[in-house]
Amino acid sequence: MSTPRQIRIDTPDGGHLVAEHHRADSDDLTDTHGRPCVVMAHGVGATRDCGLDGFAAALVAAGADVIAFDYRHFAGSSGEPRQLVHLQRQIQDYHLAVGHARSLSGVDPDRIVVWGVSLSGGHVLRVAAEDHRIAGVISLTPAVDGAAAVRTMLGAHGPGHVMRLLRIGLADQLAALRHRPAVLAPIVGHPGEPAALCAPGAVDGMQAIAGPTWRNAIAARVLLRIGMYRPGAGAVRIACPVLMQIADGDRSAPPGAATSAATRARATVHHYPCDHFDVYPGAAHHDRVTEHQKVFLRRVLAPRAVMVP
């Protein structure tokens, strides 16, 4: 894979997203309208240097450009306070990155695919439901139903643990109202610790892919809202093909909720006998996951002069 080009995408609030543009390594998907492009971002509190390069390399080899970006409030992107997971703003950031992809010289604006993993695996369902020009969706180990995630956490750790998280979230919300520094919570922790993801193996899984811009911290106010976030509910409004890749042993993003969302989206579904972090570069199921993604791209992004049935 060639060295990506660093880019900046302006945001309506006067800020910017930092991103990188990977150029396709082959012309296999290029037609007279140009090359397709995949737009990707990471899950809750992660950054684009946390394993996304491995997925981008596979998609670039298949013949697609890739834009990988960091949400506002993370890494080099603008936004205060830092480490804030603003759900609606992250959806907007996806739309901004898609718009930028459509403006790139040599890119076919009608063959843009949105790619997401974990929390962003839910975001991309929302983005495609709102933008019917999107050509395809790749949703990997997606978090599509916050209420289901809360129920899973209740079953695994008990109501006391959930109440502890809500108290931290409330403290951060009060700090925001008083214009004080954000109250931070860990993104990953060991079982029983007050973290957004505290299933067994979450710490080791995240540390295995963590890049230099990643911090194990998010503004805790999102813990008050995540239970009401259900991007999978609107999947029936998606007009394009969807690839849903589900880890059947996922202890961080409930696989049952993902399966229900896949049915509503009329998705192509692949199941993997693994946990949430076992799909990333270096893990046992990464190669199989990326191969399925390449097959999906070849099917939905086939050059229009030679369509694949």
Coordinates of all heavy atoms in Angstrom, one line a residue, residues 136-207:
G136 N -22.9 1.5 -0.6 CA -22.8 0.3 0.1 C -22.4 0.6 1.6 O -21.8 1.7 1.9
V137 N -22.6 -0.4 2.4 CA -22.3 -0.2 3.9 C -21.5 -1.5 4.3 O -21.9 -2.6 4.0 CB -23.5 -0.1 4.7 CG1 -23.2 -0.1 6.2 CG2 -24.3 1.1 4.4
I138 N -20.4 -1.3 5.0 CA -19.7 -2.4 5.7 C -19.8 -2.1 7.2 O -19.2 -1.1 7.7 CB -18.3 -2.5 5.2 CG1 -18.2 -2.9 3.7 CG2 -17.5 -3.6 6.0 CD1 -16.8 -2.9 3.1
S139 N -20.4 -3.0 7.9 CA -20.6 -2.8 9.4 C -20.0 -4.0 10.1 O -20.6 -5.1 10.0 CB -22.1 -2.6 9.6 OG -22.4 -2.5 11.0
L140 N -19.0 -3.7 10.8 CA -18.2 -4.8 11.5 C -18.4 -4.8 13.0 O -18.2 -3.7 13.6 CB -16.7 -4.6 11.1 CG -15.7 -5.5 11.8 CD1 -15.9 -7.0 11.4 CD2 -14.3 -5.1 11.3
T141 N -18.7 -5.9 13.6 CA -19.0 -6.0 15.0 C -19.7 -4.8 15.5 O -19.3 -4.2 16.5 CB -17.7 -6.3 15.8 OG1 -16.8 -5.2 15.6 CG2 -17.0 -7.6 15.4
P142 N -20.9 -4.5 14.9 CA -21.5 -3.2 15.2 C -22.2 -3.1 16.5 O -22.8 -4.1 17.0 CB -22.5 -3.0 14.0 CG -22.9 -4.5 13.7 CD -21.6 -5.3 13.9
A143 N -22.1 -1.9 17.1 CA -23.0 -1.6 18.3 C -24.2 -0.8 17.7 O -24.1 0.3 17.3 CB -22.2 -0.7 19.2
V144 N -25.3 -1.5 17.6 CA -26.5 -1.0 17.0 C -27.7 -0.7 17.9 O -28.7 -0.1 17.5 CB -27.0 -1.9 15.9 CG1 -25.9 -2.2 14.8 CG2 -27.5 -3.3 16.5
D145 N -27.6 -1.1 19.2 CA -28.7 -0.9 20.1 C -28.1 -0.7 21.5 O -27.7 -1.6 22.2 CB -29.6 -2.2 20.1 CG -30.9 -2.0 20.9 OD1 -30.9 -1.2 21.9 OD2 -31.9 -2.6 20.5
G146 N -28.1 0.6 22.0 CA -27.6 0.9 23.3 C -28.3 0.2 24.4 O -27.7 -0.2 25.4
A147 N -29.6 0.1 24.3 CA -30.4 -0.6 25.3 C -30.0 -2.0 25.5 O -29.9 -2.5 26.6 CB -31.9 -0.5 25.0
A148 N -29.7 -2.7 24.4 CA -29.3 -4.1 24.4 C -27.9 -4.2 25.1 O -27.6 -5.1 25.9 CB -29.2 -4.7 23.0
A149 N -27.0 -3.2 24.8 CA -25.7 -3.2 25.5 C -25.8 -3.0 27.0 O -25.1 -3.6 27.7 CB -24.9 -2.1 24.8
V150 N -26.8 -2.1 27.4 CA -27.0 -1.9 28.8 C -27.5 -3.2 29.5 O -27.0 -3.6 30.6 CB -27.9 -0.7 29.1 CG1 -28.3 -0.6 30.5 CG2 -27.3 0.6 28.6
R151 N -28.4 -3.9 28.8 CA -28.9 -5.1 29.4 C -27.8 -6.2 29.5 O -27.7 -6.9 30.5 CB -30.0 -5.7 28.5 CG -31.3 -4.9 28.6 CD -32.5 -5.6 28.0 NE -32.3 -5.9 26.5 CZ -32.7 -5.0 25.6 NH1 -33.3 -3.9 25.9 NH2 -32.5 -5.3 24.3
T152 N -26.9 -6.2 28.5 CA -25.8 -7.1 28.6 C -24.9 -6.8 29.8 O -24.4 -7.7 30.5 CB -25.0 -7.1 27.3 OG1 -25.8 -7.5 26.2 CG2 -23.7 -8.0 27.3
M153 N -24.6 -5.5 29.9 CA -23.8 -5.1 31.1 C -24.4 -5.4 32.4 O -23.8 -5.8 33.4 CB -23.5 -3.6 30.9 CG -22.5 -3.1 31.9 SD -22.0 -1.4 31.6 CE -20.9 -1.6 30.2
L154 N -25.8 -5.2 32.5 CA -26.5 -5.5 33.7 C -26.3 -7.0 34.0 O -26.1 -7.4 35.2 CB -28.0 -5.2 33.6 CG -28.4 -3.7 33.8 CD1 -29.8 -3.5 33.3 CD2 -28.2 -3.3 35.2
G155 N -26.5 -7.8 33.0 CA -26.4 -9.3 33.2 C -25.0 -9.7 33.6 O -24.8 -10.6 34.5
A156 N -24.0 -9.0 33.1 CA -22.6 -9.4 33.4 C -22.0 -8.9 34.6 O -21.2 -9.5 35.3 CB -21.7 -9.0 32.2
H157 N -22.4 -7.6 35.0 CA -21.8 -6.9 36.1 C -22.8 -6.5 37.2 O -22.3 -6.0 38.2 CB -21.0 -5.7 35.6 CG -20.1 -6.1 34.5 ND1 -18.9 -6.8 34.7 CD2 -20.1 -5.8 33.1 CE1 -18.2 -6.9 33.6 NE2 -18.9 -6.4 32.6
G158 N -24.1 -6.5 36.9 CA -25.0 -6.2 38.0 C -25.4 -4.7 37.9 O -24.7 -3.8 37.4
P159 N -26.5 -4.3 38.6 CA -27.0 -3.0 38.5 C -26.1 -2.0 39.2 O -26.1 -0.8 38.9 CB -28.4 -3.1 39.2 CG -28.4 -4.3 40.0 CD -27.5 -5.3 39.3
G160 N -25.4 -2.4 40.3 CA -24.5 -1.5 40.9 C -23.4 -0.9 40.0 O -23.1 0.2 40.1
H161 N -22.9 -1.8 39.1 CA -21.9 -1.3 38.2 C -22.5 -0.3 37.2 O -21.8 0.7 37.0 CB -21.4 -2.5 37.4 CG -20.4 -2.2 36.3 ND1 -19.1 -1.9 36.6 CD2 -20.5 -2.1 35.0 CE1 -18.4 -1.6 35.5 NE2 -19.3 -1.7 34.5
V162 N -23.7 -0.6 36.7 CA -24.3 0.4 35.8 C -24.6 1.7 36.5 O -24.4 2.8 35.9 CB -25.6 -0.2 35.2 CG1 -26.3 0.8 34.4 CG2 -25.3 -1.4 34.4
M163 N -25.1 1.7 37.7 CA -25.3 2.9 38.5 C -24.0 3.7 38.7 O -24.0 4.9 38.7 CB -26.0 2.6 39.8 CG -27.4 2.1 39.7 SD -28.5 3.2 38.8 CE -28.4 4.7 39.9
R164 N -22.9 3.0 38.9 CA -21.6 3.7 39.1 C -21.3 4.4 37.8 O -20.8 5.6 37.9 CB -20.6 2.6 39.4 CG -19.2 3.2 39.8 CD -18.3 2.1 40.2 NE -16.9 2.5 40.5 CZ -15.9 1.7 40.6 NH1 -16.0 0.4 40.4 NH2 -14.7 2.2 40.9
L165 N -21.5 3.8 36.7 CA -21.2 4.5 35.4 C -22.1 5.7 35.2 O -21.6 6.8 34.7 CB -21.4 3.5 34.2 CG -20.3 2.4 34.1 CD1 -20.7 1.5 33.0 CD2 -18.9 2.9 34.0
L166 N -23.4 5.6 35.6 CA -24.3 6.7 35.4 C -23.9 7.8 36.3 O -24.1 9.0 35.9 CB -25.7 6.2 35.7 CG -26.3 5.2 34.6 CD1 -27.7 4.8 35.1 CD2 -26.3 5.8 33.2
R167 N -23.4 7.5 37.5 CA -23.0 8.6 38.4 C -21.8 9.4 37.8 O -21.8 10.6 37.9 CB -22.7 8.1 39.8 CG -23.9 7.7 40.6 CD -23.5 7.5 42.1 NE -22.6 6.4 42.3 CZ -23.1 5.1 42.5 NH1 -24.4 4.9 42.6 NH2 -22.2 4.1 42.7
I168 N -20.9 8.7 37.2 CA -19.8 9.3 36.6 C -20.2 10.2 35.4 O -19.8 11.3 35.2 CB -18.7 8.3 36.1 CG1 -18.2 7.5 37.3 CG2 -17.5 9.0 35.4 CD1 -17.3 6.3 36.9
G169 N -21.2 9.6 34.6 CA -21.7 10.4 33.5 C -22.4 11.6 34.0 O -22.3 12.7 33.3
L170 N -23.2 11.5 35.1 CA -23.9 12.7 35.6 C -22.9 13.7 36.1 O -23.1 15.0 35.9 CB -24.8 12.3 36.7 CG -25.7 13.4 37.3 CD1 -26.6 14.0 36.3 CD2 -26.5 12.8 38.5
A171 N -21.8 13.3 36.7 CA -20.8 14.3 37.2 C -20.2 15.0 36.0 O -20.0 16.2 36.1 CB -19.7 13.5 37.9
D172 N -20.0 14.3 34.9 CA -19.4 15.0 33.7 C -20.5 16.0 33.1 O -20.1 17.1 32.7 CB -19.0 14.0 32.7 CG -18.3 14.6 31.5 OD1 -17.5 15.6 31.7 OD2 -18.6 14.2 30.3
Q173 N -21.7 15.6 33.1 CA -22.8 16.5 32.5 C -22.9 17.7 33.4 O -23.0 18.8 32.8 CB -24.1 15.7 32.5 CG -25.2 16.5 31.8 CD -24.9 16.8 30.3 OE1 -24.8 15.8 29.6 NE2 -24.7 18.0 29.9
L174 N -22.8 17.6 34.7 CA -22.8 18.8 35.5 C -21.6 19.7 35.3 O -21.7 20.9 35.3 CB -23.0 18.3 37.0 CG -24.3 17.7 37.4 CD1 -24.2 17.1 38.8 CD2 -25.4 18.7 37.3
A175 N -20.5 19.0 35.1 CA -19.3 19.8 34.9 C -19.4 20.6 33.6 O -19.0 21.8 33.5 CB -18.0 18.9 34.8
A176 N -20.0 20.0 32.6 CA -20.3 20.7 31.3 C -21.2 21.9 31.5 O -20.9 23.0 31.0 CB -20.9 19.8 30.3
L177 N -22.2 21.7 32.3 CA -23.2 22.8 32.5 C -22.5 24.0 33.3 O -22.9 25.1 33.1 CB -24.4 22.3 33.3 CG -25.3 21.3 32.6 CD1 -26.3 20.8 33.5 CD2 -26.0 22.0 31.4
R178 N -21.5 23.7 34.1 CA -20.8 24.7 34.9 C -19.5 25.2 34.2 O -18.7 25.9 34.8 CB -20.4 24.1 36.3 CG -21.6 23.7 37.1 CD -21.3 22.9 38.3 NE -22.4 22.6 39.1 CZ -22.4 21.7 40.1 NH1 -21.3 21.0 40.4 NH2 -23.5 21.5 40.8
H179 N -19.3 24.7 32.9 CA -18.2 25.1 32.1 C -16.9 24.7 32.8 O -15.9 25.5 32.8 CB -18.2 26.6 31.8 CG -19.5 27.0 31.2 ND1 -19.8 26.8 29.9 CD2 -20.6 27.7 31.7 CE1 -21.0 27.2 29.5 NE2 -21.5 27.8 30.6
R180 N -16.8 23.6 33.4 CA -15.6 23.0 34.0 C -15.0 21.9 33.2 O -15.7 21.4 32.3 CB -16.0 22.5 35.4 CG -16.4 23.6 36.4 CD -16.8 23.1 37.7 NE -17.1 24.2 38.7 CZ -17.6 24.0 39.9 NH1 -17.8 22.7 40.4 NH2 -17.9 25.0 40.7
P181 N -13.8 21.5 33.4 CA -13.2 20.4 32.6 C -14.0 19.2 32.7 O -14.7 18.9 33.7 CB -11.8 20.3 33.3 CG -11.5 21.6 33.9 CD -12.9 22.1 34.4
A182 N -13.9 18.4 31.6 CA -14.7 17.2 31.5 C -14.2 16.2 32.6 O -13.1 16.1 32.9 CB -14.5 16.6 30.1
V183 N -15.2 15.4 33.1 CA -14.9 14.3 33.9 C -14.7 13.0 33.0 O -15.6 12.7 32.3 CB -16.1 14.0 34.9 CG1 -15.8 12.8 35.8 CG2 -16.2 15.2 35.8
L184 N -13.6 12.4 33.1 CA -13.3 11.4 32.1 C -13.5 10.0 32.7 O -13.3 9.8 34.0 CB -11.8 11.5 31.7 CG -11.4 12.8 31.0 CD1 -9.9 12.8 30.7 CD2 -12.2 13.0 29.7
A185 N -13.8 9.0 31.9 CA -14.0 7.6 32.3 C -13.1 6.8 31.3 O -12.9 7.2 30.2 CB -15.4 7.2 32.2
P186 N -12.6 5.7 31.8 CA -11.8 4.8 30.9 C -12.7 4.3 29.7 O -13.9 4.0 29.9 CB -11.3 3.7 31.8 CG -11.5 4.2 33.2 CD -12.6 5.1 33.1
I187 N -12.1 4.1 28.6 CA -12.8 3.5 27.5 C -12.8 2.0 27.7 O -13.9 1.3 27.6 CB -12.1 3.8 26.1 CG1 -12.1 5.3 25.8 CG2 -12.8 3.0 25.0 CD1 -11.2 5.7 24.7
V188 N -11.7 1.4 28.0 CA -11.6 -0.1 28.4 C -11.1 -0.2 29.8 O -10.3 0.5 30.3 CB -10.7 -0.8 27.4 CG1 -11.3 -0.8 26.0 CG2 -9.3 -0.3 27.3
G189 N -11.6 -1.3 30.4 CA -11.2 -1.6 31.8 C -11.4 -3.1 32.0 O -12.0 -3.8 31.2
H190 N -10.8 -3.6 33.1 CA -11.0 -4.9 33.5 C -12.4 -5.1 34.0 O -13.0 -4.2 34.4 CB -9.9 -5.4 34.5 CG -8.5 -5.3 33.9 ND1 -8.0 -6.2 33.0 CD2 -7.5 -4.4 34.2 CE1 -6.8 -5.9 32.7 NE2 -6.4 -4.8 33.4
P191 N -12.9 -6.4 34.0 CA -14.3 -6.6 34.6 C -14.5 -5.9 35.9 O -13.7 -6.1 36.8 CB -14.3 -8.1 34.6 CG -13.4 -8.6 33.5 CD -12.3 -7.6 33.5
G192 N -15.6 -5.2 36.0 CA -15.9 -4.5 37.3 C -15.4 -3.1 37.4 O -15.9 -2.3 38.2
E193 N -14.4 -2.7 36.5 CA -13.9 -1.4 36.6 C -14.9 -0.4 35.8 O -15.6 -0.9 34.9 CB -12.6 -1.3 35.9 CG -11.5 -2.0 36.7 CD -10.1 -1.9 36.1 OE1 -10.0 -1.5 34.9 OE2 -9.1 -2.3 36.8
P194 N -15.0 0.8 36.2 CA -16.0 1.8 35.6 C -15.5 2.3 34.2 O -15.1 3.4 34.1 CB -16.0 2.9 36.6 CG -14.6 2.9 37.2 CD -14.2 1.5 37.3
A195 N -15.6 1.4 33.2 CA -15.2 1.7 31.9 C -16.3 1.5 30.9 O -17.3 0.7 31.2 CB -14.0 0.8 31.5
A196 N -16.3 2.1 29.8 CA -17.3 1.9 28.7 C -17.3 0.5 28.3 O -18.4 -0.1 28.0 CB -17.1 2.9 27.6
L197 N -16.1 -0.1 28.1 CA -16.0 -1.5 27.7 C -15.2 -2.3 28.8 O -14.0 -2.0 29.0 CB -15.3 -1.7 26.3 CG -15.9 -0.9 25.2 CD1 -15.1 -1.1 23.9 CD2 -17.3 -1.4 24.9
C198 N -15.8 -3.2 29.5 CA -15.1 -3.9 30.6 C -15.3 -5.4 30.5 O -15.3 -6.0 31.6 CB -15.5 -3.3 31.9 SG -17.3 -3.3 32.3
A199 N -15.6 -5.9 29.4 CA -15.7 -7.3 29.2 C -14.3 -8.0 29.3 O -13.3 -7.3 29.1 CB -16.3 -7.7 27.9
P200 N -14.3 -9.2 29.7 CA -13.0 -9.9 29.8 C -12.2 -9.8 28.4 O -12.8 -10.0 27.4 CB -13.3 -11.3 30.1 CG -14.6 -11.3 30.8 CD -15.4 -10.1 30.2
G201 N -11.0 -9.4 28.5 CA -10.2 -9.3 27.3 C -10.2 -8.0 26.6 O -9.5 -7.7 25.6
A202 N -11.1 -7.0 27.0 CA -11.2 -5.7 26.4 C -9.9 -4.9 26.5 O -9.5 -4.3 25.5 CB -12.4 -4.9 27.0
V203 N -9.3 -5.0 27.7 CA -8.0 -4.2 27.8 C -6.9 -4.7 26.9 O -6.3 -4.0 26.2 CB -7.6 -4.2 29.3 CG1 -6.2 -3.6 29.5 CG2 -8.6 -3.5 30.2
D204 N -6.7 -6.0 26.9 CA -5.7 -6.6 26.1 C -6.0 -6.4 24.6 O -5.1 -6.1 23.8 CB -5.5 -8.1 26.3 CG -4.9 -8.4 27.7 OD1 -4.3 -7.5 28.3 OD2 -5.1 -9.5 28.2
G205 N -7.3 -6.5 24.2 CA -7.7 -6.3 22.8 C -7.4 -4.9 22.3 O -6.9 -4.7 21.2
M206 N -7.7 -4.0 23.2 CA -7.5 -2.6 22.8 C -6.1 -2.2 22.8 O -5.6 -1.5 21.8 CB -8.3 -1.6 23.7 CG -8.4 -0.2 23.3 SD -9.3 0.0 21.7 CE -8.2 1.1 20.8
Q207 N -5.3 -2.7 23.7 CA -3.9 -2.3 23.8 C -3.1 -2.9 22.6 O -2.1 -2.4 22.2 CB -3.3 -2.8 25.1 CG -3.8 -2.0 26.3 CD -3.2 -2.4 27.6 OE1 -2.7 -3.5 27.7 NE2 -3.3 -1.6 28.6

